[in-house]
Structures are given as structure tokens and as C-alpha cells.
């Protein structure tokens, strides 16, 4: 009833963008990027009674004109042809598709445009005042470039969405990326643009894809000082991760004064994640959305759009981590204790590993790290270096 109202007093707290069509973004049965994560998350929220069908809005497909806001026309054409099986391997590889990371799959264009459209649907819902917050877990494809796919990402939904926000709503956007990999595609899309601020906290690129995201990547020309990177060391644990994240987001939001916040919520900074080397636990995934929401409430009258991202332990990590985003949006306290029995028994049959039975991770999750103090200190120095530019200190 109140859903389409522009009246802020009638607006919903949160909208969950989802339809089964989002699951069509699938490289292969064995590829680490697996959208079953969304099904598992939604089912967890459903079985705990935290979401119902009135909360869910289906995505639309992004149009070619919308994709062109952040992508080259030739690249879009190639993706369309690839999905119909009519380009050669050599041509595909020039555009980053048909590679080991980003294989070609049927209807690749339609499936990719559907993920972008989901984020655009979330944007419109928030910017038109129908809801305070919106989440599209199918989005977060932060490695997509203007003219090239990369790192499991074809079209970059966040880049398209930010351009769309600029064009349609004229708003200043703060993009916050907590995926364990650097949010390179989004950063480069707005590297020269002073009206978009990108913030990425990630495992240092020394040993991890894509290798960029150094603190010296601060933006270019008029955009200098609106790109922030926080490369943390391998084996970083919860306390240091959260300290860096909270300090960075608070100081940058105060400095930049955004109108709207877009967060990318990759869940691959967890100790269990098979592709990265960070030592996060469920504590960080409980806190990340809560801190982002507080910032959106403080600076943006609540306007907050969240998207998914990486996350390759789809059974033990991603559902619990991503459920926290929705629970935060609905103003619910972080749950504790055992997960819904029905969810555990349903999915344990399919899971190749024993599911974690509780919202919290078992403690301790891993052997103590001898270098903890050293890593924490190194991260702290990195944080201070990266924030110097807005603390009016000399950059060295
Ligand atoms: Zn990642």
C-alpha cells in the first residue's frame, strides 16, 4: 500500500531485490562463483521468519542504454554474441571472456544485465523514497571494466548504478567495498570524478588478485583525494579489520558528505574462504552492515543500497554473513545461538562440509597467529597513511 508512495513517512525500511532469474548468472557447476548463495541466504531469512514475500521485489533487466553508462558498446556486443555461442576464443579473450576465471555461458548478456538491473531497481526504490534501504545480493560485480570482463565479473553493476544515480538523481555517492579483493573496476570508473568517492578495504594485492588497491591510488585530476584504499595484510583478524573499516568510513563520510551510500558486501574476508588469506570471523560480517547503516542514517537520511560480491564458502559463511545485511536493514539485533533447525537439516544433505550450527563461529576458529601484533601495527600505519590526505597532514 505504502510501497509506491514518495512520502518519506510512508516509506518502508527495506526492500530485498530477488528473482530466480538472478541464478542464471552461472559459469559452470564447478566454478567458485555460485549464486546458490542467494538461495541459501534467502531461505535462512525465511526460515527464521525475518522476511516475507511483501519484502521482495523482482529485478528488471538493465537496458543497453543503461549499460552504456559504464561500458563500451563493442564490449556489450561481444558479450551478447558470446552468450549465443558465436564468437571465437581469441576474440573473447580480448574482452576478458572465455577465460578460466570468466568462462562463457549461455545467455551471458541477459543474465549479466539482470544483475545490473537488480541494482538499478534497488537504486530507484531508495532514491525515490519508497524505502530507506535496499539490497541486491546478485550484484557486487566490482571487477568489471568499461571494455573488459575480469575476475568472475562481466558487467559492473555498481559502476552502472553510480553513473545512473548521477544522471537521474544528481547525488554524491560514497561507494564502500569490503570484499577481500580490491574494488578495482569501480575505482577506475570514477578515478577522475570528484563527485564519487570510492573506499576499498581488501587484502593487499601483493599475493592476491587483482594486485591493485595501494594507498597511493588516491584519484586523478579533479578526482584526486576521492579514491581511498586500505590494503590489509594476509592473516588480518577481526579487531584490526573492524578498526580500519570503522575509522576509514567515519572519517571519509565526514569529509565527503555523501547523499547516498552504496556498499559492496563480498563475504570472502572470512577465515574459511578458499580464495583469500584473511582471518575474519562472523563478527566482522555482523558489524560491517551496522556501521554502514549508521553512516547512511547520519549523512544520507538513510539512503543505503547494498549489493553482494565475492564469497566462496557458500555453505558455512555466505548465508550467515549476508543474512546480517537484511537483519540490519530491518533494525533487528544480530541473532545468536542455533540457526533454524529446518534450514540446517534441509541444506546439510547437499553441503559437502558440516554446516556451522550457530550464528557465531566456533571459538577459537583457528590457532593463534604469532604475528598478530606485528600485522595489527602494520595495518594501523597503513590506515594513518591513507587518511593523511583528509587529516591535512603531509602525504609521504
Ligand atoms: Zn572477492
Amino acid at each position: 500500500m505504502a510501497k509506491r508512495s514518495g512520502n518519506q513517512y510512508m516509506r518502508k525500511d527495506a526492500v530485498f531485490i530477488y528473482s530466480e532469474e538472478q541464478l542464471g548468472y552461472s559459469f559452470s557447476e564447478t566454478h567458485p562463483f555460485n549464486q546458490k548463495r542467494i538461495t541459501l541466504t534467502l531461505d535462512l531469512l525465511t526460515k527464521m521468519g525475518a522476511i516475507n514475500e511483501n519484502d521482495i521485489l523482482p529485478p528488471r533487466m538493465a537496458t543497453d542504454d543503461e549499460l552504456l553508462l559504464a561500458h563500451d558498446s563493442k564490449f556489450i556486443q561481444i558479450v551478447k554474441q558470446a552468450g549465443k555461442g558465436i564468437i571465437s576464443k581469441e576474440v573473447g579473450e580480448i574482452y576478458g571472456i572465455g577465460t578460466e576465471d570468466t568462462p562463457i555461458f549461455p545467455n551471458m548478456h541477459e543474465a549479466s544485465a539482470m544483475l545490473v538491473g537488480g541494482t538499478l531497481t534497488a537504486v530507484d526504490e531508495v532514491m525515490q523514497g519508497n524505502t530507506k534501504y535496499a539490497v541486491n545480493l546478485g550484484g557486487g560485480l566490482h571487477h568489471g571494466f568499461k571494455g573488459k570482463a575480469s575476475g568472475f565479473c562481466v558487467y559492473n553493476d555498481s559502476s552502472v548504478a553510480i553513473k545512473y544515480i548521477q544522471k537521474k538523481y544528481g547525488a554524491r555517492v560514497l561507494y564502500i567495498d569490503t570484499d577481500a579483493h580490491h574494488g578495482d573496476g569501480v575505482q577506475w570508473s570514477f578515478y577522475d570524478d570528484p563527485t564519487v568517492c570510492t573506499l576499498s578495504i581488501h587484502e593487499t594485492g601483493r599475493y592476491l588478485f587483482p594486485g591493485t588497491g595501494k594507498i597511493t591510488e588516491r584519484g586523478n585530476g579533479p578526482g584526486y583525494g576521492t579514491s581511498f584504499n586500505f590494503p590489509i595484510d594476509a592473516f588480518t583478524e577481526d579487531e584490526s579489520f573492524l578498526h580500519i573499516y570503522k575509522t576509514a568510513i567515519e572519517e571519509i563520510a565526514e569529509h565527503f558528505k555523501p547523499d547516498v551510500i552504496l556498499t559492496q558486501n563480498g563475504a570472502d574476508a572470512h577465515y574459511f574462504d578458499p580464495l583469500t588469506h584473511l582471518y575474519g570471523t562472523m563478527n566482522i560480517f555482523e558489524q560491517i552492515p551496522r556501521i554502514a547503516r549508521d553512516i547512511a542514517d547520519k549523512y544520507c537520511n538513510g539512503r543505503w543500497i547494498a549489493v553482494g560480491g565475492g564469497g566462496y564458502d557458500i555453505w558455512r559463511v555466505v548465508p550467515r554473513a549476508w543474512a546480517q545485511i537484511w537483519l540490519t536493514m530491518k533494525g533487528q539485533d544480530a541473532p545468536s545461538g542455533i540457526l533454524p533447525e529446518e534450514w540446517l537439516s534441509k541444506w546439510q544433505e547437499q553441503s559437502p562440509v558440516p554446516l556451522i550450527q550457530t550464528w557465531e563461529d566456533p571459538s577459537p576458529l583457528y590457532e593463534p597467529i604469532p604475528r598478530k601484533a606485528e600485522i595489527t601495527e602494520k595495518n594501523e600505519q597503513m590506515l594513518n597513511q591513507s587518511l593523511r590526505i583528509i587529516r591535512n597532514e603531509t602525504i609521504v
Side-chain angles (χ1 to χ4, degrees), residues 142-143 152 177-182 208-209 264 266-269 273 275-276 309-312:
H142 62 167
H143 298 306
F152 316 158
D177 188 318
T178 48
D179 192 285
H181 301 90
H182 177 223
L208 190 71
F209 178 90
Q264 194 271 18
D268 46 7
D273 195 274
L275 299 192
T276 68
Y312 307 101

Side-chain angles (χ1 to χ4, degrees), residues 3 19 55 116 134 160 176 179 233 305 320 324 362 365 389:
K3 210 181 92 194
S19 82
D55 296 315
V116 177
V160 175
I176 299 161
D179 192 285
D233 255 29
I305 298 134
R320 291 184 301 151
Q324 295 286 355
L365 193 58
I389 191 165

Side-chain angles (χ1 to χ4, degrees), residues 70-309:
H71 292 288
D72 292 336
S73 144
K74 181 71 184 169
F75 173 53
I76 297 169
Q77 249 179 36
I78 294 287
V79 175
K80 283 182 179 174
Q81 290 171 2
K84 307 283 177 239
I86 50 176
I87 59 157
S88 69
K89 192 169 162 50
E90 291 71 28
V91 172
E93 283 178 358
I94 297 169
Y95 296 90
I97 53 176
T99 60
E100 194 181 329
D101 268 3
T102 317
I104 292 167
F105 59 93
N107 297 318
M108 192 170 199
H109 166 79
E110 291 75 10
S112 306
M114 186 58 80
L115 300 188
V116 177
T119 303
L120 298 181
T121 305
V123 163
D124 281 333
E125 287 297 302
V126 168
M127 297 308 289
Q128 290 172 16
N130 300 329
T131 180
K132 270 176 97 171
Y133 318 125
V135 58
N136 176 36
L137 295 176
L141 303 182
H142 62 167
H143 298 306
F145 289 98
K146 195 169 196 292
K148 194 171 182 178
S150 174
F152 316 158
C153 305
V154 182
Y155 300 137
N156 191 320
D157 58 293
S158 294
S159 289
V160 175
I162 294 169
K163 294 271 188 189
Y164 180 83
I165 291 171
Q166 291 183 307
K167 190 173 165 219
K168 189 166 175 185
Y169 302 103
R172 288 166 69 81
V173 185
L174 173 58
Y175 170 82
I176 299 161
D177 188 318
T178 48
D179 192 285
H181 301 90
H182 177 223
D184 56 349
V186 185
Q187 172 178 298
W188 302 130
S189 288
F190 301 98
Y191 208 55
D192 298 322
D193 187 339
T195 69
V196 176
C197 184
T198 62
L199 181 175
S200 179
I201 173 170
H202 46 265
E203 180 181 334
T204 164
R206 223 170 298 136
Y207 308 108
L208 190 71
F209 178 90
T212 49
K214 299 183 177 67
I215 57 173
T216 49
E217 293 164 26
R218 297 179 188 273
N220 185 44
Y224 184 77
T226 55
S227 167
F228 291 90
N229 285 291
F230 301 92
I232 53 178
D233 255 29
F235 314 114
T236 293
E237 298 179 70
D238 289 353
E239 300 87 342
S240 181
F241 185 106
L242 285 172
H243 170 67
I244 305 283
Y245 168 70
K246 191 166 189 290
T247 307
I249 192 174
E250 285 176 351
E251 291 194 26
I252 290 168
E254 173 62 26
H255 174 77
F256 182 72
K257 304 274 190 325
D259 299 316
V260 55
I261 288 175
L262 173 58
T263 63
Q264 194 271 18
N265 295 268
D268 46 7
H270 193 278
Y271 171 70
F272 283 150
D273 195 274
L275 299 192
T276 68
H277 318 97
L278 298 177
Y279 272 34
T281 75
M282 212 40 69
N283 292 330
I284 66 171
F285 299 106
E286 186 184 311
Q287 292 301 317
I288 285 169
R290 286 168 199 278
I291 292 167
R293 180 195 59 193
D294 291 349
I295 292 292
D297 285 346
K298 184 172 176 186
Y299 294 97
C300 310
N301 191 22
R303 285 182 293 269
W304 169 33
I305 298 134
V307 294

Side-chain angles (χ1 to χ4, degrees), residues 350-362:
Q350 289 186 35
S351 172
V353 286
L355 296 173
I356 304 289
Q357 306 278 315
T358 53
W359 285 97
E360 302 88 353
D361 281 322

Side-chain angles (χ1 to χ4, degrees), residues 36 40 43 47 314-315 340-357:
K36 193 180 189 76
L40 294 169
D43 194 50
K47 293 222 164 37
I314 69 161
W315 300 100
E341 292 283 357
E342 229 188 318
W343 186 86
L344 288 167
S345 56
K346 177 176 177 182
W347 297 110
Q348 184 58 71
E349 286 176 20
Q350 289 186 35
S351 172
V353 286
L355 296 173
I356 304 289
Q357 306 278 315

